[in-house]
Structure formats: structure tokens, C-alpha cells
Amino acid sequence: MTDGSTLDIILENTDLDEQLKRIGDKVRNHERITPEEGVLLYEQADLAFLGSLANHVRERLHGDKTFFNRNFHVEPTNICVYSCKFCSYYRKEGQEGVWEFTIEDVTRQAESFKDKGVTEVHIVGGVHPKRDLHYYGQMIQAIKQVLPDIHVKAFTAVELYFMIRRSRVSIEEGLAALKAYGLDSIPGGGAEIFDPVVRKQICHEKSDARQWLHIHETAHQLGIPSNATMLYGHVETYAHRIDHMDTLRKLQDRTGMFNTFIPLKFRKANNEMEHVGEVNTLEDLRNYAVARVFLDNFPHLKAYWPMIGKQTTQVSLSFGVDDIDGTIDDTTKIYSMAGVEDQQPTLNTEQLVKLIKDVGRQPIERDTLYNTLRAY
Ligand code: V47
Ligand code: SF4
């Protein structure tokens, strides 16, 4: 049966390669594609075909709905025990450009968002050598005292692994303690590319794939949902990207507690991997599309607009993306330091709504767990 969609029209095209046609039929019939088919899409499908596949999935799941939220970022410190080669952000204690906020500083930052309608605080920073889970737990408590209804999405699995180990408790005990302090969900950072050979080249010191996955799986078992990211466009191959997404797809089959997948494009400024260069916008769109098709059990695909710029974000909404994150104030430094287009990453709600409406989609303000707060 056909419904006259763009995908149907493309699949009727007799010139289409047989293998790609089979993938198209699978997508149309809600069937899962294999890792080999994922690699084939990256290597052989043209942009129009990828877009029609991904948009088909996106519209089947969400129609024209495009989600955003109102959030602010807290970055407690840029001091980090690790030195990931792609990172422009970290500093060592005593170096120029170091910052370290106290709990009182962070409380003051939270106070400035009182009565502003924000529903989420996103806390991510460097892996501080001397801070343990109780310090960060108290930070969460302090924020919630000022903003009692705020959802706290905090700490990458890499930060969590370090702070929990430092407190000498098990991962399960550590996450349960943080939940009791007020942690509501976990952001997707630190995943990079799971393949050990790639990891050795770009971030050899920090938590490996097994530890990242263990943190997320344990969190899910404790009722703490999370996101997942993938840092792409550096030394990895398409097979590495598919292997990364396949690992996530398998974990999601077990727990169902990932909300969204966020591809993060490698940005080259001010880090040790500048010589690698950056991929172009077409590659960004191809990557979103393959991710949307491959990760059939992830409800949402997020384009992080401060990373790819506003125009590419708008186009990405036709390549599988249904979520564009939120209103982010200028406390977010991880991308501005790596050379993003929008040096001051701030968009107010009105601007976000316009950005979405201008490309014919429906803006939906959501909370962190994708409950609709307002449809525009
Ligand atoms: O893990 C660091 C990335 C991540 C660079 O869950 C870089 O909603 C590109 O976790 N070029 C941290 N990327 C950010 C993160 C995040 C971001 C947005 C939304 C969510 C969410 C989570 O930032 C790191 C790393 O992959 N990163 N340096 C760089 N030069
Ligand atoms: Fe530290 Fe994170 Fe930067 Fe790696 S990516 S050096 S863990 S701040």
C-alpha cells in the first residue's frame, strides 16, 4: 500500500539500487535496518534518498511537531583531570583562564533565573580532581532550594564515574545518592565514539565505553532517564558511527530510558585536533538522517543548535531532527571555545518559535521528559 509520500515516489523509481530499495521498503514497513545497511546508507545513499527516509520516520513519530525547552546551563568548572584531544575547554589548576564556581556562585546563577519560566538546568563541566558526589549533590540541593520545580539534568557519565569513584561507593549507590539529592536525569555527553581504537586516539584517559554504558544502564534501572551523544566528523569511519549507534540501540532495547540522541559535530578551534578539519553541512544532514533511520527505538533526535548554527538547524528538521534543545544563556562555553558560528549562543523563546515556524514546522515547548507545555 502506498500513501503517496515522497518516500513512496522515490521507491517506485526503477533506477534505484536494489539494496537501497530494500532498505527503503524496510523503513516503510517499520522494520529495523541492520548495521551493514546502516553503513551502506552512509556510503551509497544520496542526500535526497536519505532525507526522504529520515523525514518519513520523523513525521511518522511526530508529524510536524518540533520540540524545544527553556533551560539554562551551569558549568561549575573548566578544571579537568583529563586532556581529551578534541576539547578546547579544559584547563589545569593554576592555568590562565581557569574558573571554578562555589555552591554560593551557582546558587546566585540559579537565582537570576527565578520567575523566568525555565524548566530545566543542564549542569556539565570539567572533571574536577577534588570534588566528590556529595559536593555536587549539595550543589543540586542548593539549586532546587532556589528553583524548587526545576528539572536537574546533570553531569556526563564521565563526570559521574569519577565523582562516584572518588566517594568510594558503587555506581549504583552513587547514582541513588545523587537521585536522593535531586538529580532528575543525565545528559548524553562523554560518549564520543565507543570504539576503543578511536577512543585511544582522541580521549585515551577518560572512562571507556563499558563504563559509560554501565552508568547509563544503572541510571535507567534506578528510574533516571538519560540522553546519548556521538561526537562525529573527526578520525572515525562510518563503521565506527554505526557500531556506536548499534551499541546504544541494544541498550535502549533493554531499558527504553533514553529520551534523545544528539549527534555532536567536531569543532576544531583551539584544540589539539585542529589539523583534522571539520566535515561540511551536507555531512551533518546525512548523519542526522542515518541516525534517525538506524535508531528506531529512540523517540527523539536532537540538533544542538549552538553547535551547527541556526540555518543548518532549520534544514535538519527535514532530515530526521524533531528537537532543537533550548534557550541557552551565555554560560555555555564548551562550543564557543571550539569555534561555533553563534559566538553568543542565546535564543529567546520567541526567536526559537520563529526559527521553527519559518520552515513550516510546529513549535512545541516541552519539559525535559517531552511532556507538552505549550503548542504554538
Ligand atoms: O562529551 C567537546 C562534546 C560533549 C567538542 O544531553 C565537543 O541534552 C564538538 O554532553 N567539538 C558535552 N563537540 C556536551 C553534552 C551535551 C550537549 C548538548 C546537549 C546534551 C544533552 C548534552 O561536548 C562532550 C563532547 O562530545 N565536545 N568538545 C568539540 N571541540
Ligand atoms: Fe575534560 Fe570533558 Fe574536555 Fe574531556 S571533553 S577534557 S572530560 S572537559
Side-chain angles (χ1 to χ4, degrees):
M1 246 217 5
T2 61
D3 60 5
S5 74
T6 315
L7 179 58
D8 290 326
I9 295 164
I10 289 182
L11 291 180
E12 299 311 321
N13 177 354
T14 45
D15 293 340
L16 188 64
D17 172 270
E18 269 309 306
Q19 286 175 299
L20 293 178
K21 186 167 173 357
R22 207 168 318 124
I23 295 175
D25 284 334
K26 275 190 166 183
V27 171
R28 196 162 51 169
N29 298 330
H30 294 219
E31 285 171 46
R32 176 167 280 192
I33 69 164
T34 65
E36 293 72 28
E37 289 168 333
V39 174
L40 192 92
L41 280 181
Y42 270 127
E43 287 177 346
Q44 296 194 17
D46 67 32
L47 190 65
F49 182 68
L50 284 177
S52 67
L53 287 184
N55 197 47
H56 184 85
V57 177
R58 184 244 204 256
E59 291 188 357
R60 184 164 69 209
L61 289 169
H62 307 295
D64 279 331
K65 287 181 181 170
T66 300
F67 299 92
F68 69 94
N69 71 350
R70 292 201 213 198
N71 63 0
F72 68 102
H73 280 222
V74 168
E75 298 185 352
T77 184
N78 62 349
I79 295 174
C80 189
V81 294
Y82 302 127
S83 312
C84 301
K85 289 207 165 57
F86 56 79
C87 180
S88 320
Y89 175 86
Y90 71 87
R91 296 288 180 275
K92 301 297 173 189
E93 274 176 296
Q95 253 185 347
E96 204 185 316
V98 155
W99 77 80
E100 190 175 358
F101 295 132
T102 61
I103 292 182
E104 291 69 35
D105 295 330
V106 170
T107 309
R108 264 194 301 280
Q109 290 173 20
E111 266 162 4
S112 72
F113 289 95
K114 248 183 165 170
D115 306 320
K116 294 260 168 71
V118 293
T119 57
E120 173 191 282
V121 55
H122 177 154
I123 316 176
V124 185
V127 179
H128 194 287
K130 298 192 188 113
R131 303 286 185 218
D132 67 4
L133 77 86
H134 300 292
Y135 176 81
Y136 286 115
Q138 282 155 19
M139 185 178 283
I140 293 173
Q141 271 184 332
I143 292 174
K144 283 203 165 170
Q145 243 165 27
V146 178
L147 301 169
D149 299 325
I150 201 93
H151 177 111
V152 175
K153 180 179 78 177
F155 312 123
T156 66
V158 174
E159 293 168 88
L160 288 166
Y161 195 81
F162 189 91
M163 71 174 81
I164 292 172
R165 291 291 301 272
R166 199 162 190 285
S167 298
R168 299 182 194 287
V169 293
S170 70
I171 297 299
E172 189 172 359
E173 287 164 334
L175 287 172
L178 284 162
K179 188 178 180 191
Y181 278 119
L183 177 74
D184 296 302
S185 69
I186 297 178
E192 321 315 356
I193 287 280
F194 289 141
D195 180 85
V197 176
V198 175
R199 248 180 140 75
K200 204 167 174 189
Q201 281 174 266
I202 67 170
C203 57
H204 68 286
E205 304 154 314
K206 72 181 183 187
S207 317
D208 60 17
R210 205 177 45 82
Q211 291 160 344
W212 191 98
L213 293 160
H214 181 51
I215 290 270
H216 282 259
E217 183 155 15
T218 309
H220 294 178
Q221 284 158 355
L222 292 169
I224 304 169
S226 69
N227 293 336
T229 58
M230 173 174 77
L231 182 73
Y232 71 95
H234 43 91
V235 300
E236 88 290 359
T237 63
Y238 290 140
H240 291 135
R241 291 191 208 171
I242 289 291
D243 170 71
H244 185 91
M245 289 192 272
D246 192 41
T247 305
L248 291 171
R249 194 167 76 171
K250 286 179 178 141
L251 175 51
Q252 178 76 331
D253 276 342
R254 293 202 294 279
T255 67
M257 292 277 282
F258 281 119
N259 280 325
T260 184
F261 179 64
I262 311 149
L264 296 171
K265 172 200 184 99
F266 165 65
R267 305 306 305 252
K268 65 174 187 177
N270 306 314
N271 59 57
E272 281 183 65
M273 282 170 51
E274 188 163 355
H275 61 282
V276 170
E278 291 178 3
V279 294
N280 62 27
T281 302
L282 293 184
E283 183 61 25
D284 297 330
L285 297 175
R286 295 177 64 81
N287 190 57
Y288 284 124
V290 176
R292 182 58 284 172
V293 172
F294 191 81
L295 289 173
D296 59 347
N297 55 3
F298 271 64
H300 299 280
L301 178 66
K302 187 192 286 192
Y304 191 57
W305 65 259
M307 176 75 74
I308 55 168
K310 292 166 204 157
Q311 275 178 335
T312 309
T313 301
Q314 285 180 312
V315 182
S316 76
L317 301 183
S318 296
F319 286 82
V321 169
D322 65 278
D323 180 15
I324 62 169
D325 206 83
T327 49
I328 299 160
D329 76 305
D330 61 9
T331 48
T332 305
K333 300 207 177 57
I334 195 156
Y335 307 113
S336 52
M337 289 164 92
V340 297
E341 278 89 352
D342 297 304
Q343 285 298 325
Q344 279 278 331
T346 322
L347 275 181
N348 62 32
T349 304
E350 216 173 283
Q351 291 165 320
L352 270 182
V353 165
K354 182 169 180 332
L355 186 129
I356 296 166
K357 278 191 173 169
D358 280 352
V359 287
R361 302 283 181 179
Q362 188 195 15
I364 303 284
E365 186 184 339
R366 62 164 175 89
D367 64 14
T368 309
L369 304 177
Y370 290 85
N371 298 301
T372 297
L373 299 179
R374 181 172 167 191
Y376 289 80

mmCIF file of all heavy atoms in Angstrom, residues 295-330:
data_model
loop_
_atom_site.group_PDB
_atom_site.id
_atom_site.type_symbol
_atom_site.label_atom_id
_atom_site.label_comp_id
_atom_site.label_asym_id
_atom_site.label_seq_id
_atom_site.Cartn_x
_atom_site.Cartn_y
_atom_site.Cartn_z
ATOM 1 N N LEU A 295 18.372 4.444 14.515
ATOM 2 C CA LEU A 295 17.965 4.376 15.940
ATOM 3 C C LEU A 295 16.439 4.342 16.043
ATOM 4 O O LEU A 295 15.819 5.292 16.535
ATOM 5 C CB LEU A 295 18.546 5.564 16.700
ATOM 6 C CG LEU A 295 20.067 5.506 16.912
ATOM 7 C CD1 LEU A 295 20.571 6.812 17.511
ATOM 8 C CD2 LEU A 295 20.452 4.334 17.818
ATOM 9 N N ASP A 296 15.874 3.235 15.596
ATOM 10 C CA ASP A 296 14.409 3.151 15.519
ATOM 11 C C ASP A 296 13.739 3.138 16.882
ATOM 12 O O ASP A 296 12.538 3.366 16.990
ATOM 13 C CB ASP A 296 14.013 1.909 14.710
ATOM 14 C CG ASP A 296 14.559 0.614 15.335
ATOM 15 O OD1 ASP A 296 15.429 0.680 16.230
ATOM 16 O OD2 ASP A 296 14.100 -0.469 14.920
ATOM 17 N N ASN A 297 14.517 2.867 17.943
ATOM 18 C CA ASN A 297 13.902 2.831 19.278
ATOM 19 C C ASN A 297 14.197 4.090 20.113
ATOM 20 O O ASN A 297 13.873 4.135 21.293
ATOM 21 C CB ASN A 297 14.323 1.561 20.038
ATOM 22 C CG ASN A 297 15.837 1.416 20.116
ATOM 23 O OD1 ASN A 297 16.575 2.295 19.659
ATOM 24 N ND2 ASN A 297 16.297 0.323 20.702
ATOM 25 N N PHE A 298 14.820 5.085 19.514
ATOM 26 C CA PHE A 298 15.000 6.376 20.204
ATOM 27 C C PHE A 298 13.850 7.298 19.814
ATOM 28 O O PHE A 298 13.663 7.571 18.622
ATOM 29 C CB PHE A 298 16.338 7.044 19.801
ATOM 30 C CG PHE A 298 17.487 6.635 20.661
ATOM 31 C CD1 PHE A 298 17.928 5.315 20.679
ATOM 32 C CD2 PHE A 298 18.144 7.562 21.465
ATOM 33 C CE1 PHE A 298 18.990 4.928 21.488
ATOM 34 C CE2 PHE A 298 19.201 7.179 22.273
ATOM 35 C CZ PHE A 298 19.629 5.870 22.283
ATOM 36 N N PRO A 299 13.098 7.783 20.811
ATOM 37 C CA PRO A 299 11.953 8.622 20.423
ATOM 38 C C PRO A 299 12.363 9.936 19.757
ATOM 39 O O PRO A 299 11.666 10.401 18.870
ATOM 40 C CB PRO A 299 11.214 8.883 21.743
ATOM 41 C CG PRO A 299 12.061 8.362 22.839
ATOM 42 C CD PRO A 299 13.125 7.483 22.255
ATOM 43 N N HIS A 300 13.493 10.532 20.157
ATOM 44 C CA HIS A 300 13.811 11.871 19.649
ATOM 45 C C HIS A 300 15.237 11.962 19.122
ATOM 46 O O HIS A 300 16.144 11.264 19.580
ATOM 47 C CB HIS A 300 13.608 12.921 20.760
ATOM 48 C CG HIS A 300 12.200 12.953 21.245
ATOM 49 N ND1 HIS A 300 11.191 13.608 20.576
ATOM 50 C CD2 HIS A 300 11.605 12.375 22.337
ATOM 51 C CE1 HIS A 300 10.054 13.434 21.229
ATOM 52 N NE2 HIS A 300 10.273 12.689 22.296
ATOM 53 N N LEU A 301 15.394 12.879 18.150
ATOM 54 C CA LEU A 301 16.715 13.191 17.591
ATOM 55 C C LEU A 301 16.914 14.697 17.708
ATOM 56 O O LEU A 301 16.116 15.488 17.187
ATOM 57 C CB LEU A 301 16.782 12.764 16.119
ATOM 58 C CG LEU A 301 18.097 13.074 15.392
ATOM 59 C CD1 LEU A 301 19.256 12.263 15.972
ATOM 60 C CD2 LEU A 301 17.966 12.755 13.892
ATOM 61 N N LYS A 302 17.973 15.064 18.423
ATOM 62 C CA LYS A 302 18.178 16.490 18.719
ATOM 63 C C LYS A 302 19.326 17.090 17.903
ATOM 64 O O LYS A 302 20.400 16.504 17.803
ATOM 65 C CB LYS A 302 18.506 16.638 20.210
ATOM 66 C CG LYS A 302 18.578 18.079 20.681
ATOM 67 C CD LYS A 302 19.183 18.204 22.074
ATOM 68 C CE LYS A 302 18.255 17.772 23.181
ATOM 69 N NZ LYS A 302 18.783 18.176 24.523
ATOM 70 N N ALA A 303 19.058 18.261 17.319
ATOM 71 C CA ALA A 303 20.137 19.060 16.726
ATOM 72 C C ALA A 303 20.478 20.126 17.753
ATOM 73 O O ALA A 303 19.606 20.903 18.164
ATOM 74 C CB ALA A 303 19.664 19.719 15.436
ATOM 75 N N TYR A 304 21.707 20.142 18.147
ATOM 76 C CA TYR A 304 22.107 21.097 19.176
ATOM 77 C C TYR A 304 22.488 22.389 18.460
ATOM 78 O O TYR A 304 23.593 22.525 17.940
ATOM 79 C CB TYR A 304 23.274 20.498 19.957
ATOM 80 C CG TYR A 304 23.605 21.261 21.199
ATOM 81 C CD1 TYR A 304 22.635 21.472 22.183
ATOM 82 C CD2 TYR A 304 24.869 21.776 21.402
ATOM 83 C CE1 TYR A 304 22.941 22.181 23.320
ATOM 84 C CE2 TYR A 304 25.171 22.485 22.542
ATOM 85 C CZ TYR A 304 24.202 22.685 23.492
ATOM 86 O OH TYR A 304 24.494 23.396 24.616
ATOM 87 N N TRP A 305 21.545 23.344 18.401
ATOM 88 C CA TRP A 305 21.722 24.493 17.509
ATOM 89 C C TRP A 305 22.949 25.349 17.792
ATOM 90 O O TRP A 305 23.535 25.901 16.844
ATOM 91 C CB TRP A 305 20.444 25.336 17.399
ATOM 92 C CG TRP A 305 20.007 26.014 18.672
ATOM 93 C CD1 TRP A 305 19.017 25.597 19.505
ATOM 94 C CD2 TRP A 305 20.538 27.210 19.240
ATOM 95 N NE1 TRP A 305 18.899 26.430 20.573
ATOM 96 C CE2 TRP A 305 19.823 27.436 20.437
ATOM 97 C CE3 TRP A 305 21.546 28.104 18.883
ATOM 98 C CZ2 TRP A 305 20.087 28.526 21.270
ATOM 99 C CZ3 TRP A 305 21.806 29.175 19.709
ATOM 100 C CH2 TRP A 305 21.088 29.376 20.877
ATOM 101 N N PRO A 306 23.411 25.462 19.036
ATOM 102 C CA PRO A 306 24.615 26.287 19.225
ATOM 103 C C PRO A 306 25.828 25.691 18.498
ATOM 104 O O PRO A 306 26.798 26.374 18.228
ATOM 105 C CB PRO A 306 24.831 26.282 20.737
ATOM 106 C CG PRO A 306 23.520 25.897 21.317
ATOM 107 C CD PRO A 306 22.903 24.971 20.319
ATOM 108 N N MET A 307 25.753 24.402 18.181
ATOM 109 C CA MET A 307 26.878 23.713 17.548
ATOM 110 C C MET A 307 26.864 23.852 16.032
ATOM 111 O O MET A 307 27.915 24.025 15.408
ATOM 112 C CB MET A 307 26.767 22.229 17.942
ATOM 113 C CG MET A 307 27.759 21.313 17.327
ATOM 114 S SD MET A 307 29.318 21.533 18.091
ATOM 115 C CE MET A 307 29.041 20.734 19.652
ATOM 116 N N ILE A 308 25.689 23.775 15.413
ATOM 117 C CA ILE A 308 25.657 23.751 13.933
ATOM 118 C C ILE A 308 25.115 25.039 13.332
ATOM 119 O O ILE A 308 25.116 25.195 12.115
ATOM 120 C CB ILE A 308 24.828 22.552 13.402
ATOM 121 C CG1 ILE A 308 23.405 22.557 13.984
ATOM 122 C CG2 ILE A 308 25.536 21.246 13.657
ATOM 123 C CD1 ILE A 308 22.490 21.585 13.285
ATOM 124 N N GLY A 309 24.652 25.965 14.171
ATOM 125 C CA GLY A 309 24.136 27.222 13.638
ATOM 126 C C GLY A 309 22.643 27.119 13.335
ATOM 127 O O GLY A 309 22.089 26.022 13.224
ATOM 128 N N LYS A 310 22.016 28.285 13.202
ATOM 129 C CA LYS A 310 20.556 28.310 13.108
ATOM 130 C C LYS A 310 20.045 27.794 11.759
ATOM 131 O O LYS A 310 19.043 27.082 11.703
ATOM 132 C CB LYS A 310 20.055 29.735 13.351
ATOM 133 C CG LYS A 310 20.292 30.176 14.792
ATOM 134 C CD LYS A 310 20.122 31.672 14.955
ATOM 135 C CE LYS A 310 20.919 32.135 16.179
ATOM 136 N NZ LYS A 310 21.273 33.537 16.133
ATOM 137 N N GLN A 311 20.741 28.139 10.675
ATOM 138 C CA GLN A 311 20.231 27.725 9.357
ATOM 139 C C GLN A 311 20.295 26.215 9.164
ATOM 140 O O GLN A 311 19.326 25.597 8.717
ATOM 141 C CB GLN A 311 21.033 28.406 8.251
ATOM 142 C CG GLN A 311 20.475 29.791 7.958
ATOM 143 C CD GLN A 311 21.286 30.501 6.896
ATOM 144 O OE1 GLN A 311 22.471 30.206 6.710
ATOM 145 N NE2 GLN A 311 20.654 31.427 6.217
ATOM 146 N N THR A 312 21.425 25.614 9.519
ATOM 147 C CA THR A 312 21.526 24.153 9.385
ATOM 148 C C THR A 312 20.501 23.486 10.296
ATOM 149 O O THR A 312 19.919 22.448 9.942
ATOM 150 C CB THR A 312 22.959 23.666 9.725
ATOM 151 O OG1 THR A 312 23.884 24.446 8.971
ATOM 152 C CG2 THR A 312 23.147 22.209 9.407
ATOM 153 N N THR A 313 20.261 24.084 11.449
ATOM 154 C CA THR A 313 19.247 23.524 12.349
ATOM 155 C C THR A 313 17.888 23.505 11.644
ATOM 156 O O THR A 313 17.159 22.510 11.703
ATOM 157 C CB THR A 313 19.162 24.359 13.642
ATOM 158 O OG1 THR A 313 20.444 24.356 14.255
ATOM 159 C CG2 THR A 313 18.137 23.791 14.611
ATOM 160 N N GLN A 314 17.574 24.587 10.957
ATOM 161 C CA GLN A 314 16.282 24.633 10.252
ATOM 162 C C GLN A 314 16.199 23.531 9.192
ATOM 163 O O GLN A 314 15.190 22.835 9.090
ATOM 164 C CB GLN A 314 16.099 26.000 9.587
ATOM 165 C CG GLN A 314 15.762 27.089 10.598
ATOM 166 C CD GLN A 314 15.580 28.447 9.939
ATOM 167 O OE1 GLN A 314 16.406 28.865 9.140
ATOM 168 N NE2 GLN A 314 14.514 29.141 10.293
ATOM 169 N N VAL A 315 17.269 23.354 8.416
ATOM 170 C CA VAL A 315 17.253 22.323 7.365
ATOM 171 C C VAL A 315 17.186 20.928 7.996
ATOM 172 O O VAL A 315 16.529 20.021 7.483
ATOM 173 C CB VAL A 315 18.504 22.459 6.455
ATOM 174 C CG1 VAL A 315 18.474 21.422 5.342
ATOM 175 C CG2 VAL A 315 18.584 23.854 5.855
ATOM 176 N N SER A 316 17.855 20.776 9.147
ATOM 177 C CA SER A 316 17.901 19.447 9.783
ATOM 178 C C SER A 316 16.501 18.931 10.130
ATOM 179 O O SER A 316 16.294 17.725 10.249
ATOM 180 C CB SER A 316 18.766 19.496 11.051
ATOM 181 O OG SER A 316 18.072 20.131 12.111
ATOM 182 N N LEU A 317 15.530 19.852 10.246
ATOM 183 C CA LEU A 317 14.167 19.431 10.592
ATOM 184 C C LEU A 317 13.521 18.613 9.470
ATOM 185 O O LEU A 317 12.501 17.966 9.680
ATOM 186 C CB LEU A 317 13.283 20.644 10.935
ATOM 187 C CG LEU A 317 13.781 21.512 12.102
ATOM 188 C CD1 LEU A 317 12.801 22.635 12.399
ATOM 189 C CD2 LEU A 317 14.006 20.670 13.355
ATOM 190 N N SER A 318 14.129 18.639 8.269
ATOM 191 C CA SER A 318 13.673 17.770 7.178
ATOM 192 C C SER A 318 14.575 16.553 7.022
ATOM 193 O O SER A 318 14.443 15.790 6.066
ATOM 194 C CB SER A 318 13.649 18.553 5.860
ATOM 195 O OG SER A 318 12.709 19.592 5.962
ATOM 196 N N PHE A 319 15.519 16.380 7.941
ATOM 197 C CA PHE A 319 16.440 15.235 7.871
ATOM 198 C C PHE A 319 16.384 14.413 9.165
ATOM 199 O O PHE A 319 17.392 13.873 9.600
ATOM 200 C CB PHE A 319 17.861 15.716 7.552
ATOM 201 C CG PHE A 319 18.011 16.124 6.105
ATOM 202 C CD1 PHE A 319 17.608 17.381 5.686
ATOM 203 C CD2 PHE A 319 18.491 15.225 5.166
ATOM 204 C CE1 PHE A 319 17.694 17.742 4.343
ATOM 205 C CE2 PHE A 319 18.588 15.582 3.829
ATOM 206 C CZ PHE A 319 18.190 16.845 3.409
ATOM 207 N N GLY A 320 15.212 14.365 9.771
ATOM 208 C CA GLY A 320 15.013 13.474 10.906
ATOM 209 C C GLY A 320 14.956 14.162 12.262
ATOM 210 O O GLY A 320 14.446 13.600 13.229
ATOM 211 N N VAL A 321 15.461 15.375 12.352
ATOM 212 C CA VAL A 321 15.516 16.054 13.657
ATOM 213 C C VAL A 321 14.135 16.548 14.067
ATOM 214 O O VAL A 321 13.395 17.100 13.255
ATOM 215 C CB VAL A 321 16.504 17.248 13.571
ATOM 216 C CG1 VAL A 321 16.394 18.147 14.790
ATOM 217 C CG2 VAL A 321 17.926 16.725 13.399
ATOM 218 N N ASP A 322 13.784 16.342 15.351
ATOM 219 C CA ASP A 322 12.490 16.840 15.842
ATOM 220 C C ASP A 322 12.658 17.693 17.096
ATOM 221 O O ASP A 322 11.678 18.130 17.690
ATOM 222 C CB ASP A 322 11.544 15.673 16.165
ATOM 223 C CG ASP A 322 12.066 14.831 17.321
ATOM 224 O OD1 ASP A 322 12.927 13.961 17.093
ATOM 225 O OD2 ASP A 322 11.652 15.078 18.467
ATOM 226 N N ASP A 323 13.905 17.907 17.533
ATOM 227 C CA ASP A 323 14.135 18.619 18.795
ATOM 228 C C ASP A 323 15.335 19.537 18.612
ATOM 229 O O ASP A 323 16.352 19.114 18.044
ATOM 230 C CB ASP A 323 14.423 17.586 19.894
ATOM 231 C CG ASP A 323 14.665 18.225 21.251
ATOM 232 O OD1 ASP A 323 14.342 19.412 21.422
ATOM 233 O OD2 ASP A 323 15.191 17.530 22.132
ATOM 234 N N ILE A 324 15.220 20.782 19.067
ATOM 235 C CA ILE A 324 16.367 21.680 18.876
ATOM 236 C C ILE A 324 16.877 22.241 20.206
ATOM 237 O O ILE A 324 17.406 23.348 20.261
ATOM 238 C CB ILE A 324 16.065 22.798 17.866
ATOM 239 C CG1 ILE A 324 14.930 23.713 18.335
ATOM 240 C CG2 ILE A 324 15.710 22.213 16.512
ATOM 241 C CD1 ILE A 324 14.816 24.962 17.461
ATOM 242 N N ASP A 325 16.726 21.443 21.277
ATOM 243 C CA ASP A 325 17.228 21.844 22.589
ATOM 244 C C ASP A 325 16.525 23.106 23.062
ATOM 245 O O ASP A 325 15.328 23.241 22.855
ATOM 246 C CB ASP A 325 18.750 21.995 22.581
ATOM 247 C CG ASP A 325 19.355 21.769 23.961
ATOM 248 O OD1 ASP A 325 19.574 20.601 24.325
ATOM 249 O OD2 ASP A 325 19.585 22.746 24.685
ATOM 250 N N GLY A 326 17.278 24.042 23.663
ATOM 251 C CA GLY A 326 16.533 25.109 24.336
ATOM 252 C C GLY A 326 17.155 26.470 24.260
ATOM 253 O O GLY A 326 18.073 26.721 23.486
ATOM 254 N N THR A 327 16.618 27.335 25.075
ATOM 255 C CA THR A 327 17.136 28.691 25.194
ATOM 256 C C THR A 327 18.351 28.608 26.100
ATOM 257 O O THR A 327 18.228 28.307 27.279
ATOM 258 C CB THR A 327 16.087 29.589 25.852
ATOM 259 O OG1 THR A 327 15.612 28.918 27.019
ATOM 260 C CG2 THR A 327 14.917 29.835 24.934
ATOM 261 N N ILE A 328 19.506 28.848 25.542
ATOM 262 C CA ILE A 328 20.732 28.633 26.315
ATOM 263 C C ILE A 328 21.412 29.970 26.546
ATOM 264 O O ILE A 328 21.675 30.699 25.605
ATOM 265 C CB ILE A 328 21.670 27.692 25.550
ATOM 266 C CG1 ILE A 328 20.958 26.353 25.365
ATOM 267 C CG2 ILE A 328 22.973 27.501 26.291
ATOM 268 C CD1 ILE A 328 21.542 25.539 24.279
ATOM 269 N N ASP A 329 21.689 30.286 27.779
ATOM 270 C CA ASP A 329 22.313 31.584 28.030
ATOM 271 C C ASP A 329 23.822 31.471 27.835
ATOM 272 O O ASP A 329 24.363 30.400 27.579
ATOM 273 C CB ASP A 329 21.980 32.054 29.446
ATOM 274 C CG ASP A 329 22.805 31.292 30.445
ATOM 275 O OD1 ASP A 329 22.774 30.053 30.431
ATOM 276 O OD2 ASP A 329 23.506 31.930 31.229
ATOM 277 N N ASP A 330 24.518 32.583 27.976
ATOM 278 C CA ASP A 330 25.925 32.594 27.563
ATOM 279 C C ASP A 330 26.881 31.973 28.584
ATOM 280 O O ASP A 330 28.087 32.147 28.493
ATOM 281 C CB ASP A 330 26.367 34.015 27.199
ATOM 282 C CG ASP A 330 26.240 34.967 28.372
ATOM 283 O OD1 ASP A 330 25.970 34.484 29.483
ATOM 284 O OD2 ASP A 330 26.407 36.181 28.165
#
